[in-house]
């Protein structure tokens, strides 16, 4: 039997000998913990990646994709084993002790109904467990009637308990309230199962996923006995599928997406804008010709100069600004253009996932001559706050000898949600898992529908009829990091840093474009006027602060045209 060391025990020499801790492991650590804390996240992660072997892999800054998926598979396997045993125990109680099961169900309903909310806005236990099975309105009606039924049955049970017993001869009539030993054996087994599960979760959060040198993305040696077994559950069966993500390239330059938002993996768009302006000569002479590659490279060079000051950018975060080529194509239009040989650049084989990188000559071709259904962007990305907050800006240029078109799309990848960081502040005490175990045991009858659904839910790939290609099997819609993103930044300084980086990148880009056009004899009067208009639209009139929609960074921005040839769009 595997020896499990309790999470509050001393770590010992084994812990000290582990690999050195790195800041870039922080986001991976949070997502590994999220897989064990949130069943829906684990299932979504598997469904979005492992289930679809043809799906493109979006960029995931700061995330060890293979490690997170390994934990998602292990967490799903652990939950299914636990739920299978608990459901067998519940059926055993129902079969051998119907009266005990009825009392258990009544107490579970009362517990679920009367249990306090754990956080602001969080539903009670009963609603939380049943909301995935039936609609919320139906659950509320069930809750009201369940309370009434509980009161009625409680009165009947009490009356039956104290009613005089009928006697036949020398033997007493059968009493339905007499409960044998066997039902209690099933209850005891269920209690042991939930206790073991809670202690395993406590060990994972308190030992495996704690900040510091103890965290290992792939456990080669355990911080506690049994860690490798628990974190590798289900791995042999999916070893081949997981291998595709073990060495995923974070600087991939091909992104095949589905749905509306093209910049998957970068978070939500925030105040995008576009400008179309004439290239009028600044003097009597004809302006010098230029290529889009020259303008892209000039902007990249100027933005790279922002990282030299520790005062302008805290800890010189903009010194880590990474320009990246990004070719973006929608999965639906990619399949619609399979007859075009250029579609073969991205999808050379429909039985394999899209390529991750393209040769430099193809990227240069798309940069100078973009297609309607395949575009080139230059991405500028800065990772800050231990890679937990990521700001990405996508720049697209188009020009001829008369006009220049600029498209600027900032995206914000918000921090990991607060409830996934419980490992950082979870108290190292045995009472928390014991308390949670008894709560799970008491509410087991009302959680049975959810457990049955999870146990028999199979994560299957999207069906693809013979002779047809389904775009959703190829395009990505969300990265693992986006699935765990919070609704807003974590604190005031993160918000101000976000505003700082966006304003610095935008202002420096405007200056670089103006200098580039001036050096080639092109008038920048109209460009400066429209640049000022964009900047003014992003400044709040009361405090000089970037205007967040609805009090937080929403995935949609207010759409509308701005006079002077500037448009701010988003969906």
């Amino acid at each position: 039997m595997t020896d499990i060391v309790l999470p509050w025990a001393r770590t010992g020499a084994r812990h000290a000998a582990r690999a050195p801790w790195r800041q870039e492991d922080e986001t991976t650590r949070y997502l590994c913990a999220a897989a064990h804390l949130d069943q829906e996240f684990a299932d979504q992660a598997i469904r979005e990646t492992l289930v679809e072997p043809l799906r493109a892999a979006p960029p995931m800054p700061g995330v060890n994709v293979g490690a997170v998926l390994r934990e998602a598979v292990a967490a799903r396997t652990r939950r299914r084993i636990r739920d299978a045993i608990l459901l067998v125990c519940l059926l055993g109680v129902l079969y051998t002790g119907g009266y005990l099961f009825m009392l258990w169900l009544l107490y579970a309903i009362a517990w679920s109904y009367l249990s306090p909310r754990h956080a602001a806005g969080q539903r009670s236990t009963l609603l939380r467990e049943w909301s995935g099975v039936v609609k919320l309105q139906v659950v509320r009606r069930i809750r009201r009637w369940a309370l009434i039924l509980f009161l009625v049955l409680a009165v009947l049970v009490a009356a039956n308990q104290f009613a005089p017993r009928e006697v036949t001869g020398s033997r007493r009539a059968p009493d339905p309230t007499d409960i044998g030993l066997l039902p209690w054996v099933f209850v005891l087994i269920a209690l042991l199962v939930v206790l073991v599960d809670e202690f395993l979760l406590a060990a994972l959060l308190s030992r495996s996923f704690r900040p510091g040198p103890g965290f290992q993305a792939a456990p080669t040696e355990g911080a506690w006995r049994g860690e490798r077994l628990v974190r590798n559950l289900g791995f042999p069966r999916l070893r081949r599928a997981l291998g595709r993500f073990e060495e995923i390239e974070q600087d991939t330059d091909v992104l095949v997406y589905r749905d509306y938002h093209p910049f998957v993996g970068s978070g939500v768009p925030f105040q995008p804008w576009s400008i179309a302006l004439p290239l009028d000569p600044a003097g009597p002479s004809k302006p010098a010709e230029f290529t889009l590659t020259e303008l892209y490279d000039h902007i990249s060079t100027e933005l790279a100069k922002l990282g030299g000051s520790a005062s302008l950018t805290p800890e010189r975060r903009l010194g880590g600004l990474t320009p990246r080529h990004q070719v973006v194509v929608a999965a639906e239009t990619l399949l619609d253009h399979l007859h075009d040989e250029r579609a073969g650049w991205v999808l050379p084989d429909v039985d394999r996932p899209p390529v991750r990188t393209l040769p430099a000559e193809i990227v240069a071709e798309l940069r100078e001559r973009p297609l309607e259904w395949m575009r080139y962007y230059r991405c500028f990305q800065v990772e800050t706050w231990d890679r937990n907050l990521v700001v990405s800006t996508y720049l697209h240029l188009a020009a001829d000898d008369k006009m220049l078109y600029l498209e600027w799309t900032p995206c914000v990848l918000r921090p990991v949600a607060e409830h996934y960081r419980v490992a950082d502040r979870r108290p190292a005490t045995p009472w928390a898992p014991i308390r949670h175990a008894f709560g799970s045991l008491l509410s087991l009858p009302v959680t049975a529908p959810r457990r049955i659904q999870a146990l028999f839910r199979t994560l299957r790939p999207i069906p693809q009829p013979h002779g047809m290609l389904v775009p959703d099997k190829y395009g990505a819609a969300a990265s693992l990091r986006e699935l765990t993103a919070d609704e807003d930044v974590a604190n005031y300084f993160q918000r101000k840093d976000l505003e700082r980086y966006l304003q610095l990148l935008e202002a420096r880009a405007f200056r670089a474009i103006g200098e580039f056009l001036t050096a080639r004899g092109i008038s920048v009067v109209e460009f400066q006027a429209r640049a000022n208009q964009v900047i003014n639209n992003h400044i709040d009139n009361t405090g000089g602060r970037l205007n967040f929609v609805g009090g937080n960074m929403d995935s949609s921005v207010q759409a509308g045209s701005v006079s002077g040839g500037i448009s701010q769009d988003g969906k």
Side-chain angles (χ1 to χ4, degrees):
M1 179 178 293
T2 303
D3 185 12
I4 300 175
V5 179
L6 299 182
W8 48 88
R10 291 182 175 272
T11 303
R14 178 186 295 272
H15 183 276
R18 305 186 83 180
W21 173 74
R22 302 173 301 169
Q23 280 190 336
E24 53 265 32
D25 291 332
E26 281 295 271
T27 306
T28 299
R29 180 174 65 86
Y30 287 140
L31 266 62
C32 289
H36 291 274
L37 289 168
D38 188 350
Q39 177 177 336
E40 290 303 318
F41 166 68
D43 288 351
Q44 288 179 1
I46 296 172
R47 187 183 296 110
E48 183 69 22
T49 53
L50 297 177
V51 172
E52 297 292 346
L54 302 179
R55 184 162 289 163
M60 302 186 197
V63 177
N64 184 329
V65 183
V68 177
L69 291 178
R70 179 194 295 259
E71 299 296 337
V73 172
R76 175 175 168 79
T77 305
R78 175 179 58 83
R79 292 188 184 103
R80 297 187 75 182
I81 295 173
R82 176 203 65 192
D83 291 343
I85 300 175
L86 290 178
L87 290 173
V88 170
C89 293
L90 197 61
L91 289 175
V93 175
L94 176 61
Y95 182 75
T96 60
Y99 186 77
L100 177 61
F101 178 83
M102 183 180 67
L103 290 177
W104 193 0
L105 177 61
L106 292 177
Y107 277 111
I109 294 174
W111 171 272
S112 301
Y113 183 83
L114 299 176
S115 60
R117 295 169 183 252
H118 298 277
Q122 187 176 9
R123 298 192 294 271
S124 65
T125 304
L126 178 61
L127 297 182
R128 200 166 60 246
E129 299 295 354
W130 283 12
S131 60
V133 183
V134 293
K135 292 184 178 180
L136 184 59
Q137 294 82 356
V138 177
V139 174
R140 286 173 176 165
R141 294 194 189 99
I142 294 175
R143 186 180 65 173
R144 287 195 295 267
W145 285 105
L147 181 60
I148 296 173
L149 179 62
F150 166 72
L151 295 176
V152 172
L153 291 179
V155 173
L156 293 177
V157 169
N160 180 65
Q161 183 70 31
F162 296 102
R165 307 298 183 183
E166 296 181 3
V167 178
T168 303
S170 62
R171 300 184 63 184
R172 190 178 55 147
D175 187 356
T177 63
D178 289 339
I179 302 172
L181 180 62
L182 188 56
W184 291 106
V185 173
F186 287 110
V187 174
L188 180 60
I189 294 175
L191 176 60
L192 292 177
V193 170
V194 292
L195 277 173
V196 170
D197 185 69
E198 288 294 337
F199 278 118
L200 287 177
L201 180 60
L204 288 169
L205 297 179
S206 301
R207 301 286 297 277
S208 302
F209 304 139
R210 293 285 289 185
F215 173 70
Q216 286 186 334
T220 56
E221 61 180 47
W224 45 277
R225 294 182 183 180
E227 179 187 16
R228 292 184 61 187
L229 174 64
V230 174
R231 295 180 63 183
N232 285 299
L233 289 173
F235 175 70
R237 186 168 56 89
L238 295 173
R239 183 187 300 271
R240 188 171 183 179
L242 283 166
R244 185 164 73 98
F245 298 92
E246 292 292 342
E247 299 179 357
I248 183 172
E249 298 180 24
Q250 301 299 328
D251 58 347
T252 174
D253 58 23
V254 177
L255 179 55
V256 180
Y257 71 96
R258 68 180 192 273
D259 298 336
Y260 180 84
H261 179 46
F263 307 116
V264 180
S266 299
V268 294
F270 182 66
Q271 294 183 339
W273 53 264
S274 57
I275 297 178
L277 66 147
L279 298 179
D280 298 327
S285 59
K286 183 179 179 181
E289 295 183 355
F290 65 90
T291 64
L292 292 177
T293 301
E294 293 174 338
L295 180 53
Y296 276 118
D297 291 343
H298 180 75
I299 297 173
S300 300
T301 301
E302 293 300 314
L303 291 182
K305 297 178 181 179
L306 287 171
S309 171
S311 174
L312 187 63
T313 60
E315 300 187 32
R316 293 187 173 90
R317 289 298 186 185
L318 285 181
L321 186 71
T322 54
R324 185 178 76 237
H325 303 290
Q326 192 76 73
V327 175
V328 182
V329 55
E332 184 175 2
T333 55
L334 177 64
L335 296 182
D336 289 341
H337 291 80
L338 282 181
H339 61 278
D340 192 327
E341 63 178 8
R342 292 170 295 188
W345 297 344
V346 176
L347 192 62
D349 186 354
V350 295
D351 294 326
R352 299 178 64 86
V355 300
R356 293 178 180 170
T357 59
L358 289 175
E361 58 272 15
I362 294 179
V363 174
E365 171 72 16
L366 291 171
R367 183 168 53 239
E368 296 291 338
R369 286 173 288 275
L371 306 176
E372 279 187 333
W373 49 278
M374 191 186 307
R375 306 289 174 89
Y376 170 87
Y377 287 85
R378 183 70 61 90
C379 175
F380 304 95
Q381 188 174 88
V382 55
E383 301 175 4
T384 181
W385 287 85
D386 297 333
R387 308 185 78 176
N388 202 24
L389 178 65
V390 183
V391 178
S392 305
T393 298
Y394 290 87
L395 174 65
H396 176 74
L397 303 173
D400 62 8
D401 57 346
K402 300 293 184 182
M403 298 290 295
L404 174 64
Y405 174 77
L406 307 172
E407 179 185 331
W408 181 269
T409 307
C411 294
V412 178
L413 184 56
R414 296 165 292 194
V416 176
E418 184 67 22
H419 53 273
Y420 292 135
R421 307 182 205 172
V422 66
D424 290 353
R425 57 186 183 278
R426 186 181 179 96
T429 169
W431 301 115
I434 292 176
R435 185 174 64 253
H436 294 160
F438 276 97
S440 298
L441 179 69
L442 193 56
S443 61
L444 179 58
V446 298
T447 64
R450 190 262 298 167
R451 296 181 190 276
I452 293 173
Q453 183 189 53
L455 182 63
F456 293 100
R457 178 172 54 193
T458 302
L459 304 180
R460 300 182 182 275
I462 299 173
Q464 184 165 253
H466 181 70
M468 295 182 60
L469 297 178
V470 179
D472 287 357
K473 295 182 72 67
Y474 295 89
S479 68
L480 302 183
R481 180 65 177 76
E482 289 173 314
L483 293 176
T484 58
D486 209 340
E487 295 181 356
D488 204 345
V489 292
N491 55 56
Y492 176 82
F493 289 127
Q494 285 189 1
R495 179 182 291 273
K496 302 312 291 185
D497 282 351
L498 170 62
E499 296 170 4
R500 179 200 302 252
Y501 297 137
L502 290 176
Q503 292 188 40
L504 288 174
L505 291 173
E506 189 175 80
R508 191 70 176 186
F510 277 138
R511 183 176 182 87
I513 295 170
E515 292 173 348
F516 184 88
L517 296 179
T518 300
R520 280 149 182 80
I522 299 172
S523 174
V524 294
V525 175
E526 188 170 356
F527 171 72
Q528 290 175 343
R530 298 184 182 181
N532 291 334
Q533 201 170 1
V534 170
I535 295 174
N536 292 335
N537 286 332
H538 292 172
I539 301 297
D540 187 84
N541 293 329
T542 58
R545 184 166 73 92
L546 287 179
N547 190 16
F548 294 102
V549 179
N552 59 17
M553 289 170 291
D554 197 277
S555 59
S556 61
V557 297
Q558 293 174 334
S561 297
V562 182
S563 60
I566 305 172
S567 68
Q568 289 182 277
D569 47 36
K571 186 173 180 179

